[in-house]
């Protein structure tokens, strides 16, 4: 009976992973197709990668998306960290419920509503104070930070809630100021969550289509917008090559982040063990 249950579970797991990853594998294979038709194999070739890098529209959109994604991830991580600190460390402050609701709202708000409200806000601000002038990278970044920081706050809040605060208390007992404790103790301990939040914000920004469509201008089309416009006319081998590059970069980022987080976890564990040994020796 257990054998049948295990076989059934493994079969469904295999089906699920195949459903997710086989199309990606086929996309990667067909990015090396000699022919222009993406459904007919005509031999191995890398010419579409050359065509991709010579496509000014796609390269320009990719550069805009990378700039927006990096700025969004950086600002969202900083603001999300501050919001998480307020939720975990400040206790039951006045307006906590409202603050928590406003922080969680972007998680459940439809992208269409977020994009439309952001557009109306930018139009009203431009009429009142003259900024932001037009729609472009600035407006896309602001709109992305608005919803990305909520995801970062959730990740970092869970890490802060499970953090052993005795390390911080021991540092303050030894004379360290709160700012130094935060920089020397807290930041290294929550570094894996910071990296995860940054990568999550980067991915959300790089992947966004709906919100960017509302708040972008004619000269600031992001990569998802260009890809969506191209796919509506038919999938080209250049899009397959672009998707392959993105898959490789995302995989490398995941592996690198996993290695960094595992290393940080080992360092934190070693620091905790050393502190416990020091306390035992002192006793």
């Amino acid at each position: 009976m257990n054998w049948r249950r295990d076989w059934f579970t493994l079969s469904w797991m295999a089906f699920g992973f195949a459903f997710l990853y086989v199309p990606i594998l086929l996309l990667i294979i067909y990015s090396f197709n000699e022919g222009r038709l993406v459904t007919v194999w005509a031999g191995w070739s890398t010419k579409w990668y050359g065509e991709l890098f010579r496509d000014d529209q796609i390269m320009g959109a990719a550069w805009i998306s990378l700039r927006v994604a990096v700025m969004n991830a950086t600002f969202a991580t900083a603001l999300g960290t501050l919001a998480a600190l307020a939720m975990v460390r400040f206790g039951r402050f006045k307006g906590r419920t409202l603050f928590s609701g406003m922080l969680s709202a972007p998680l459940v708000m439809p992208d269409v509503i977020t994009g439309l409200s952001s557009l109306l806000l930018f139009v009203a601000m431009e009429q009142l104070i003259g900024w932001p002038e037009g729609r472009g990278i600035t407006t896309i970044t602001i709109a992305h930070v608005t919803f990305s920081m909520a995801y970062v706050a959730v990740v970092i809040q869970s890490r802060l809630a499970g953090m052993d605060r005795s390390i911080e208390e021991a540092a303050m007992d030894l004379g360290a100021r709160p700012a130094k404790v935060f920089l020397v103790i807290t930041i290294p301990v929550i570094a894996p969550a910071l990296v995860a939040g940054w990568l999550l914000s980067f991915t959300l920004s790089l992947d966004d289509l709906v919100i960017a469509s509302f708040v972008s201008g004619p000269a600031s089309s992001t990569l998802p917008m260009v890809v969506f416009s191209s796919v509506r006319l038919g999938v080209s081998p250049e899009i397959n090559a672009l998707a392959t590059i993105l898959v490789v970069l995302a995989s490398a980022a995941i592996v690198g982040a996993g290695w960094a987080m595992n290393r940080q976890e080992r360092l934190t564990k070693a620091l905790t063990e050393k502190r416990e040994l020091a306390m035992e020796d002192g006793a």
Side-chain angles (χ1 to χ4, degrees):
M1 194 68 176
N2 291 333
W3 179 84
R4 291 182 179 180
R5 187 186 305 114
D6 294 340
W7 180 86
F8 181 78
T9 303
L10 291 175
S11 299
W12 274 106
M13 287 179 58
F15 175 78
F17 282 114
F19 182 80
L20 290 174
Y21 292 108
V22 168
I24 297 177
L25 180 61
L26 292 176
L27 181 147
I28 294 174
I29 293 175
Y30 274 94
S31 70
F32 296 97
N33 188 15
E34 172 72 24
R36 174 166 288 277
L37 296 177
V38 296
T39 57
V40 178
W41 183 255
W44 294 93
S45 176
T46 58
K47 70 176 183 179
W48 299 114
Y49 287 88
E51 294 293 332
L52 171 67
F53 288 110
R54 286 190 291 268
D55 193 321
D56 294 334
Q57 183 183 21
I58 293 180
M59 289 295 100
W63 175 240
I64 291 174
S65 292
L66 287 175
R67 289 171 60 189
V68 171
V70 170
M71 290 188 292
N72 164 69
T74 303
F75 285 113
T77 301
L79 295 175
T81 302
L82 295 177
L85 284 170
M87 293 296 296
V88 175
R89 299 293 175 83
F90 289 0
R92 301 293 300 180
F93 58 88
K94 186 177 181 180
R96 176 187 172 89
T97 303
L98 177 61
F99 180 75
S100 177
M102 294 177 63
L103 186 63
S104 303
L107 298 175
V108 296
M109 192 74 66
D111 288 346
V112 174
I113 302 301
T114 302
L116 180 58
S117 60
S118 299
L119 174 62
L120 296 176
L121 173 64
F122 294 142
V123 171
M125 290 176 60
E126 185 178 7
Q127 293 176 349
L128 292 176
I129 61 176
W131 183 88
E133 185 176 356
R135 264 22 100 226
I137 293 178
T138 301
T139 54
I140 299 174
T141 303
I142 295 174
H144 283 186
V145 170
T146 301
F147 73 88
S148 296
M149 64 175 292
Y151 292 90
V152 176
V154 171
V155 174
I156 298 180
Q157 184 177 347
S158 62
R159 179 63 174 172
L160 285 171
M163 178 181 171
D164 184 7
R165 297 198 61 183
S166 62
I167 304 176
E168 296 177 321
E169 295 171 354
M172 287 188 286
D173 289 340
L174 294 175
R177 295 184 177 181
K180 186 174 182 179
V181 171
F182 179 74
L183 294 175
V184 178
I185 304 296
T186 309
I187 291 296
V189 171
I190 66 173
L194 293 175
V195 174
W198 195 95
L199 290 174
L200 179 60
S201 300
F202 183 87
T203 303
L204 290 172
S205 177
L206 198 64
D207 184 60
D208 175 65
L209 170 65
V210 178
I211 297 176
S213 299
F214 279 94
V215 299
S216 62
S220 58
S221 296
T222 61
L223 188 59
M225 296 171 62
V226 173
V227 171
F228 180 72
S229 299
S230 301
V231 170
R232 293 179 66 183
L233 301 176
V235 180
S236 67
E238 294 180 12
I239 300 301
N240 287 344
L242 174 63
T244 301
I245 293 175
L246 292 177
V247 169
V248 172
L249 292 177
S251 301
I254 292 172
V255 172
W259 176 84
M261 286 188 286
N262 289 334
R263 181 174 180 272
Q264 185 62 39
E265 288 288 347
R266 290 195 298 268
L267 291 175
T268 303
K269 184 178 180 180
L271 179 62
T272 303
E273 292 176 352
K274 186 182 294 185
R275 180 177 60 85
E276 292 176 353
L277 291 175
M279 292 176 63
E280 292 176 359
D281 293 340

